[in-house]
Amino acid sequence: MIDNERPREIAAIDIGSNSFHMVVARVVGQSLQIISRHKQRVHMASGLDDYQNLDQAAIQRGLDCLAMFAERLQGFDPDNVRIAATYTLRQARNAHVFIKRAERVIPYPIEIIPGTEEARLIYLGVAHTQPEKNRKLVVDIGGGSTELVIGEDFHAHLLTSKHMGCVSYHKNHFAKGKISNKNMAAATLAAEQKLESIAGKYRLSGWDSALGSSGTIKAIREVLVESGHNDGIITPTRLQELTEKILQFKHTDDLTLPGLTDDRKSVFPAGVAILNAIFKALKIEEMTFSDGALREGLLYEMEDRFRHSDIRTRTASAMAEQYNVDLEQATRVKATAEMLYDQVESQPGLAKSELATLLSWGALLHEVGLSISYPGFHRHSAYLLRHSTMPGFNFEQQSVLATLVRFQRKSLKLNEMPELTIYKRKHLYPLIRTLRLAVALNGQRSDEPLPRIQVKANKEMWEISLPQGWEENNKLLAADLKVEQDYWSRAGWKLAITS
């Protein structure tokens, strides 16, 4: 009998500072088969003004590209598409404007990911597409940032993202496209200064092979190959020769090198300056190019989340251990929160299912701030979850976690909630109410299991039903619930307690 079921297809989009990339893959058994790649030069980073706002031209270029990508993704389920935005949208003060307008052209959420998360995903993409399983240094020079990672197999050990990229360095060091020895030296020195704080640690850690990924290093490799270095290996000597060739030209418009495409000309000297600085700072002897990059990392992790343990679970567990969380209490609160939320959202859609998962992690980590001090620990917890490096989480997910633990107790100053782009505030309110009830119901930190508690939700009006006479035998808990009712009332919510 022939199995006519179509293989699952997944797609990843990398909203970069210089280019947008999309890769589509088919899930075949235990592996991924890349079936199409799409790339569009957008130059988003060049649209950032002095106030870190994206101009309308850059926004429109980005939207036009996403509209083209959306044509290829027609019929894809939301859980089969992941879109990650990097440096430029991390920096842009009006990133929310771009994301809001993007919702009209592509029906999938855009995640703005932290620099260290970008570095981890780049490493994952390289590791999955390289045959070597040895200790690797991976370098990725993007339009606005450069990521440097040392790892082994599929695990990254050292992760760094630096604010230096070929678009931003072109803008800062090669004004109006002018090429000179002075400009090249200034750009290289600026990059070396950026690397000064990490160079020693990276050299001490060491690696067996150095790999470069993405457009800048790919362009350098192609120029070297077309210049007679058929192995494509990048070395300090070859980089110096390339630099000298570039300095023969006075303007980027005139730059004519074998293998260099017209759309790469303007940012090529800046990219070479940055790579020169990396070679000098880390004392790299040779580097080869890898086809794997951020979008492949997104793809492989997307599939891993279906087959294997989610890295975010490992991150949450490691953070709980790092901050000496009382795991027994955290597990009790987590179980209660999941029990209550199952009743409130008995058939959640994809977005709410993701939020339910974030609720579970929030419950596990709601007391990380106790490691700082008890007074105001909910605020300390929120700070740690918002500003810590959390592999696997994007900015929005960290913001949701921070919001949940910030509002787990005390006054509900909902006007202090942050702006969100992927989720809406109204989606968070049920999670906040659920976590507050779970925390209150476990306030005695008792090993005695809670009885079955019923909850009914109708927008801002919630009703919890306790077993007959249970309040009488748990007077302290009953008093805590009365206080909680008062907090809800002041926020314009209503909590009814029946037995």
Side-chain angles (χ1 to χ4, degrees):
M1 184 176 178
I2 299 173
D3 185 359
N4 290 319
E5 185 180 342
R6 290 185 61 191
R8 181 167 158 259
E9 290 184 3
I10 60 178
I13 295 175
D14 165 11
I15 297 181
S17 298
N18 197 33
S19 305
F20 286 13
H21 296 262
M22 178 171 71
V23 59
V24 181
R26 182 181 291 123
V27 180
V28 181
Q30 297 297 303
S31 64
L32 292 182
Q33 182 184 82
I34 305 294
I35 56 175
S36 66
R37 292 181 185 274
H38 310 267
K39 173 186 173 183
Q40 187 79 16
R41 196 84 70 197
V42 178
H43 298 295
M44 283 279 277
S46 64
L48 282 174
D49 64 21
D50 293 339
Y51 301 98
Q52 295 299 87
N53 283 310
L54 272 175
D55 62 32
Q56 290 306 308
I59 289 175
Q60 193 56 53
R61 289 196 301 272
L63 295 175
D64 291 344
C65 179
L66 290 180
M68 282 193 296
F69 286 178
E71 293 175 12
R72 173 67 179 84
L73 298 179
Q74 286 182 23
F76 274 63
D77 289 334
D79 57 346
N80 287 338
V81 178
R82 194 167 173 203
I83 307 176
T86 57
Y87 177 81
T88 298
L89 287 187
R90 283 199 293 269
Q91 297 299 109
R93 294 174 61 185
N94 61 339
H96 62 284
V97 174
F98 175 81
I99 289 174
K100 201 72 183 169
R101 290 177 63 184
E103 288 175 1
R104 303 189 202 120
V105 300
I106 194 161
Y108 308 102
I110 295 173
E111 310 171 43
I112 301 177
I113 59 174
T116 51
E117 177 64 2
E118 181 182 356
R120 186 187 68 82
L121 288 166
I122 288 166
Y123 178 81
L124 194 61
V126 171
H128 270 286
T129 52
Q130 286 298 123
E132 300 91 352
K133 300 299 180 188
N134 57 7
R135 193 171 181 84
K136 292 179 278 291
L137 166 68
V138 174
V139 176
D140 187 303
I141 301 170
S145 65
T146 293
E147 282 66 47
L148 303 102
V149 191
I150 291 178
E152 210 159 347
D153 292 333
F154 301 118
H155 306 293
H157 303 311
L158 279 178
L159 294 157
T160 302
S161 178
K162 290 292 183 182
H163 291 190
M164 55 184 194
C166 60
V167 176
S168 56
Y169 265 47
H170 167 75
K171 196 173 176 181
N172 295 335
H173 299 285
F174 297 89
K176 298 180 181 178
K178 184 182 177 183
I179 300 172
S180 69
N181 193 52
K182 181 181 176 182
N183 290 353
M184 183 66 82
T188 304
L189 180 60
E192 283 187 82
Q193 288 175 312
K194 286 272 190 187
L195 297 164
E196 200 172 10
S197 61
I198 66 158
K201 182 166 61 173
Y202 272 65
R203 291 197 302 264
L204 187 63
S205 178
W207 56 86
D208 298 312
S209 59
L211 300 163
S213 69
S214 293
T216 294
I217 296 175
K218 182 181 182 182
I220 291 170
R221 175 190 178 275
E222 287 173 352
V223 170
L224 290 178
V225 169
E226 291 298 319
S227 300
H229 301 295
N230 296 329
D231 57 12
I233 295 173
I234 304 169
T235 66
T237 302
R238 292 176 180 181
L239 269 180
Q240 184 57 39
E241 290 172 0
L242 181 55
T243 301
E244 289 168 4
K245 287 181 182 178
I246 291 170
L247 291 174
Q248 292 173 11
F249 300 87
K250 301 301 181 188
H251 198 281
T252 54
D253 289 346
D254 304 324
L255 195 56
T256 306
L257 294 170
L260 182 63
T261 58
D262 288 342
D263 59 0
R264 175 63 64 174
K265 281 183 181 181
S266 63
V267 297
F268 191 69
V272 171
I274 293 170
L275 190 59
N276 250 318
I278 293 169
F279 264 67
K280 288 178 182 177
L282 303 190
K283 301 190 187 309
I284 298 171
E285 295 177 2
E286 62 176 46
M287 175 181 286
T288 54
F289 176 70
S290 167
D291 282 321
L294 173 62
R295 51 260 179 207
E296 286 79 17
L298 289 166
L299 277 182
Y300 280 101
E301 183 166 83
M302 201 187 314
E303 185 54 20
D304 280 347
R305 287 185 183 179
F306 287 91
R307 288 206 311 262
H308 308 299
S309 64
D310 193 326
I311 187 173
R312 294 174 296 181
T313 300
R314 300 197 295 275
T315 294
S317 299
M319 198 168 185
E321 183 178 348
Q322 178 184 355
Y323 290 104
N324 298 310
V325 166
D326 179 346
L327 284 177
E328 290 184 0
Q329 173 67 2
T331 302
R332 285 190 287 266
V333 171
K334 178 174 176 286
T336 303
E338 289 170 349
M339 177 266 291
L340 295 173
Y341 195 71
D342 280 345
Q343 296 179 58
V344 174
E345 297 285 0
S346 56
Q347 291 183 309
L350 177 68
K352 289 182 179 176
S353 177
E354 173 75 9
L355 284 169
T357 307
L358 289 172
L359 172 64
S360 296
W361 286 319
L364 184 70
L365 298 171
H366 76 285
E367 289 188 337
V368 290
L370 279 175
S371 61
I372 298 174
S373 71
Y374 177 77
F377 80 82
H378 53 300
R379 290 181 180 273
H380 301 319
S381 294
Y383 182 87
L384 289 172
L385 290 173
R386 189 181 301 280
H387 297 290
S388 294
T389 297
M390 297 182 67
F393 290 88
N394 60 45
F395 278 126
E396 183 109 343
Q397 290 163 341
Q398 287 191 228
S399 187
V400 169
L401 288 178
T403 301
L404 293 183
V405 301
R406 158 69 179 83
F407 292 111
Q408 66 178 282
R409 64 196 284 269
K410 300 293 185 180
S411 299
L412 283 156
K413 297 177 182 177
L414 299 176
N415 61 313
E416 295 180 4
M417 285 182 69
E419 288 295 325
L420 299 170
T421 54
I422 297 176
Y423 308 111
K424 294 180 171 58
R425 283 190 176 192
K426 66 180 182 181
H427 292 153
L428 263 63
Y429 291 150
L431 275 70
I432 292 170
R433 296 174 192 133
T434 300
L435 183 57
R436 288 182 72 94
L437 286 176
V439 169
L441 289 165
N442 289 281
Q444 310 310 305
R445 310 181 83 88
S446 171
D447 289 332
E448 283 294 314
L450 289 172
R452 178 67 180 171
I453 296 169
Q454 303 290 330
V455 59
K456 294 179 182 176
N458 182 13
K459 296 183 179 177
E460 285 78 30
M461 164 68 183
W462 282 34
E463 177 184 339
I464 59 170
S465 300
L466 304 172
Q468 187 90 26
W470 193 63
E471 286 179 276
E472 193 62 34
N473 297 322
N474 295 272
K475 289 189 171 62
L476 190 55
L477 175 55
D480 290 343
L481 288 174
K482 290 286 190 288
V483 171
E484 188 62 16
Q485 280 181 307
D486 187 43
Y487 283 131
W488 284 45
S489 178
R490 284 186 237 162
W493 300 347
K494 185 174 181 183
L495 175 62
I497 301 169
T498 60
S499 57

